[in-house]
Amino acid sequence: MKKIKYICLLVFTISFAACDDRLEIDPPFAEDAESFFNTQEDYERALIGAYDLLQTSYLNNWIGEIASDNAIAGGESVNDSRGLHQIDEMTHGGVNDELRNVLRFNYAGITRVNYMFEFRDKIDFEGKDVLYAEAAFLRAYYYFQLVKYFGDIPLIVDRRLGIEEAVSIDRTPKEQVYAQIEADLQVASEVLEWTNSVKGRITKGAALALLGKVYLYQDKFTEAATTLDRVINEGPYSTITTTTSEEYTALFSVEQEGNLESVFEIQYTGVEGGSYGCLVCLEGNAALGFQGIRQYEGPIYGDGNSYNLPTEDLYNAFDPSDIRRDGTVLDIEAFIAEQENPADIKYVIGGGGHTGYYNNKYIKRLDELGAGDNDLTSPVNYRVIRYPDVLLMAAEAHNRKPSANDGLAQDYLNQVRNRVGLSAINVTGQALTEAIWEERRFELSGEGHRFFDLVRTGQASESIEGFQVGKNELFPIPQIEIDLVGGTWEQNPNYN
């Protein structure tokens, strides 16, 4: 068996052909699983393999927007990436390629981490506690993705599954999954430092911020407030003042990766190509090429595939004076009209839907193109958690906890607003809650959070056309996974 190949085993389907070629550095059959982990280098390489599945988070960037009122699926036609169109229309069911990929990719990451934990005690070396703290964070992140999509899911910790167990395992109540996520993040936050000299490695701030988010998703507002306050008061982060939409958009550029507002970024590189047949194999960020302007010819932007198109509802929700509107949403016709030679600029409308708007945070630009097929090799990092998100989560937690501190909640909210030149908000109680929720939409649009924010705050049915209460709070378990365990799992409520 190839070295590291074993870590690509999936929980249910047992084999996964999409392992990164760069991990397979030894001859076939050189080592099996039990003869690995003999050196510190082996552990480091296994950790890199566990990090690798983070790059599939482009799916969260898509689905978290397309399932909400922020965006439509778009694309070449309604049959192009049909799974995204079903999610957009709220007609998705158990047969959906995108949702199956969410489950498979995240469990692949978990399997890689569990493989490491199974052999944790084989040897000792300096820095091992830090390495395993990073691994614990990764497992927590992958499980958090799964539980927020699917609810109850099988919980496997510190071990691999045999074939017989893999086809008979039960779903675990989400409360137990959340408890494991919390435990892993608590370990990570205790061990890790606030900074890491290696770009892209997990830090204490990332662990605490994700832990605070996990608490918030469970309505544990006191715990969320305490945890997020640590990020604000002890961490190295601060807001960045921007005075134009261009300056705001630049916060998401390659040039500003790791800036003072960046708490947790997923790393991408534009130097290695890939193919549409294996998006999990990519080292570049697929989102930007997919979200680019179809057959575009003109300045600043590169051409793309016109997916994940912001809605008019989102654009109109912004105050026109808010620089984040044009920093977040590109009005293509307005942009063309402003150019020197507008008649020379061309683009094509896709048959999958058109709004006239594009995701200006994550869109292909001519000065950020990757190698080869640059639809698939964008070097732009995905900002999973930014400091403004931390401030808004902390604001919500302080506002909604039993002993509410609306004064501090206002301060956190207004730090986000003031840095983009907006006036302070001074309301309290439920009005403040709603102001914070609204601000999350303005600040975080295009980043994959909107659908899950609407669900956890009970606003989804009034905001998302076709959303059914008691059903669409969760996505359906992929039917093929139910079949693989002999049909013993119940599908999530009200999915056929």
Side-chain angles (χ1 to χ4, degrees):
M1 183 177 294
K2 293 182 181 181
K3 196 170 191 177
I4 302 293
K5 188 70 172 179
Y6 202 96
I7 65 176
C8 296
L9 296 184
L10 277 172
V11 177
F12 309 117
T13 56
I14 304 303
S15 64
F16 191 167
C19 284
D20 193 323
D21 292 340
R22 298 192 304 168
L23 292 177
E24 298 185 20
I25 60 177
D26 292 318
F29 312 107
E31 298 180 66
D32 60 22
E34 280 64 31
S35 64
F36 193 57
F37 294 115
N38 292 318
T39 67
Q40 180 175 347
E41 181 187 11
D42 289 344
Y43 284 83
E44 289 284 355
R45 290 159 66 202
L47 180 62
I48 291 170
Y51 267 100
D52 192 54
L53 269 296
L54 286 177
Q55 295 179 331
T56 65
S57 290
Y58 66 84
L59 280 168
N60 197 68
N61 191 193
W62 291 348
I63 294 173
E65 296 297 306
I66 290 169
S68 79
D69 53 349
N70 273 359
I72 67 169
E76 183 177 12
S77 74
V78 294
N79 294 314
D80 187 20
S81 296
R82 183 62 188 144
L84 292 176
H85 285 275
Q86 292 168 346
I87 291 168
D88 181 9
E89 298 158 0
M90 287 286 129
T91 59
H92 50 276
V95 180
N96 185 291
D97 289 342
E98 313 307 331
L99 295 175
R100 190 183 182 207
N101 283 337
V102 169
L103 186 140
R104 293 197 307 158
F105 294 165
N106 284 286
Y107 266 120
I110 290 165
T111 301
R112 295 183 182 195
V113 174
N114 281 340
Y115 178 54
M116 292 178 61
F117 274 93
E118 184 175 346
F119 293 93
R120 179 174 187 165
D121 298 326
K122 193 172 183 183
I123 66 169
D124 287 318
F125 52 87
E126 186 177 355
K128 184 178 173 182
D129 59 334
V130 173
L131 182 146
Y132 273 93
E134 293 179 46
F137 173 94
L138 294 172
R139 182 166 60 190
Y141 176 81
Y142 295 133
Y143 268 125
F144 181 52
Q145 295 300 309
L146 290 169
V147 77
K148 74 180 186 180
Y149 273 85
F150 303 112
D152 299 348
I153 51 170
L155 177 65
I156 307 100
V157 180
D158 295 355
R159 61 190 178 88
R160 294 163 293 168
L161 293 179
I163 292 177
E164 290 185 4
E165 185 181 6
V167 297
S168 62
I169 192 168
D170 291 329
R171 294 172 69 183
T172 304
K174 65 180 182 181
E175 293 78 11
Q176 294 180 35
V177 180
Y178 269 120
Q180 179 61 47
I181 294 169
E182 292 174 14
D184 275 339
L185 292 174
Q186 287 161 0
V187 167
S189 64
E190 289 167 4
V191 173
L192 297 174
E193 300 293 338
W194 286 104
T195 60
N196 194 314
S197 60
V198 180
K199 183 181 179 183
R201 300 296 278 262
I202 302 304
T203 62
K204 183 188 294 289
L208 286 171
L210 184 57
L211 179 59
K213 177 167 281 194
V214 167
Y215 285 140
L216 197 65
Y217 271 62
Q218 300 173 83
D219 290 350
K220 295 182 177 181
F221 301 119
T222 300
E223 294 91 334
T226 300
T227 303
L228 294 165
D229 279 351
R230 288 193 61 194
V231 182
I232 295 166
N233 296 326
E234 301 173 31
Y237 315 106
S238 66
T239 57
I240 298 175
T241 299
T242 55
T243 59
T244 67
S245 60
E246 291 80 9
E247 288 178 354
Y248 180 78
T249 302
L251 296 175
F252 299 86
S253 66
V254 170
E255 185 178 354
Q256 291 206 41
E257 289 173 359
N259 64 36
L260 290 174
E261 288 193 349
S262 177
V263 179
F264 172 38
E265 288 185 13
I266 293 175
Q267 304 294 308
Y268 291 96
T269 176
V271 300
E272 182 176 334
S275 73
Y276 286 95
C278 187
L279 294 182
V280 71
C281 303
L282 303 180
E283 300 301 322
N285 188 344
L288 281 83
F290 273 80
Q291 293 167 187
I293 308 164
R294 183 169 292 273
Q295 297 181 33
Y296 174 82
E297 297 177 17
I300 300 178
Y301 300 101
D303 72 313
N305 298 305
S306 66
Y307 281 87
N308 197 8
L309 303 175
T311 60
E312 185 177 15
D313 177 79
L314 171 61
Y315 186 81
N316 290 338
F318 284 92
D319 187 307
S321 67
D322 189 341
I323 64 171
R324 295 174 300 184
R325 184 190 69 175
D326 295 332
T328 298
V329 181
L330 170 65
D331 180 337
I332 186 61
E333 290 298 332
F335 167 78
I336 291 173
E338 293 170 354
Q339 303 310 302
E340 217 171 277
N341 300 300
D344 296 336
I345 301 174
K346 300 177 176 61
Y347 74 99
V348 170
I349 294 173
H354 181 66
T355 63
Y357 303 109
Y358 295 84
N359 185 337
N360 213 15
K361 291 178 178 177
Y362 293 108
I363 189 171
K364 193 198 297 183
R365 287 179 165 80
L366 294 176
D367 61 352
E368 293 178 333
L369 299 182
D373 185 344
N374 53 54
D375 277 353
L376 305 175
T377 56
S378 171
V380 176
N381 288 352
Y382 177 32
R383 279 68 164 174
V384 183
I385 302 178
R386 297 188 295 115
Y387 189 55
D389 186 6
V390 172
L391 288 169
L392 292 173
M393 288 192 293
E396 181 178 343
H398 278 288
N399 166 250
R400 298 183 71 190
K401 68 179 184 177
S403 54
N405 186 342
D406 281 354
L408 188 55
Q410 288 173 2
D411 177 58
Y412 289 157
L413 167 63
N414 289 326
Q415 285 186 48
V416 176
R417 293 176 57 81
N418 291 344
R419 85 195 213 293
V420 291
L422 296 175
S423 60
I425 288 177
N426 299 309
V427 296
T428 60
Q430 183 62 30
L432 178 57
T433 307
E434 293 173 5
I436 294 166
W437 289 345
E438 186 176 53
E439 196 67 27
R440 287 188 63 81
R441 188 184 194 191
F442 298 146
E443 178 61 38
L444 302 172
S445 295
E447 300 178 43
H449 305 297
R450 176 64 173 172
F451 174 78
F452 302 102
D453 272 348
L454 290 174
V455 168
R456 71 175 181 80
T457 59
Q459 302 175 89
S461 62
E462 65 192 54
S463 301
I464 302 172
E465 185 176 353
F467 186 96
Q468 297 181 43
V469 175
K471 175 182 180 180
N472 294 128
E473 291 86 354
L474 296 174
F475 290 98
I477 298 291
Q479 185 60 46
I480 191 170
E481 310 300 345
I482 295 175
D483 295 341
L484 285 167
V485 293
T488 57
W489 293 354
E490 288 189 17
Q491 181 55 276
N492 280 332
N494 297 312
Y495 286 102
N496 296 325

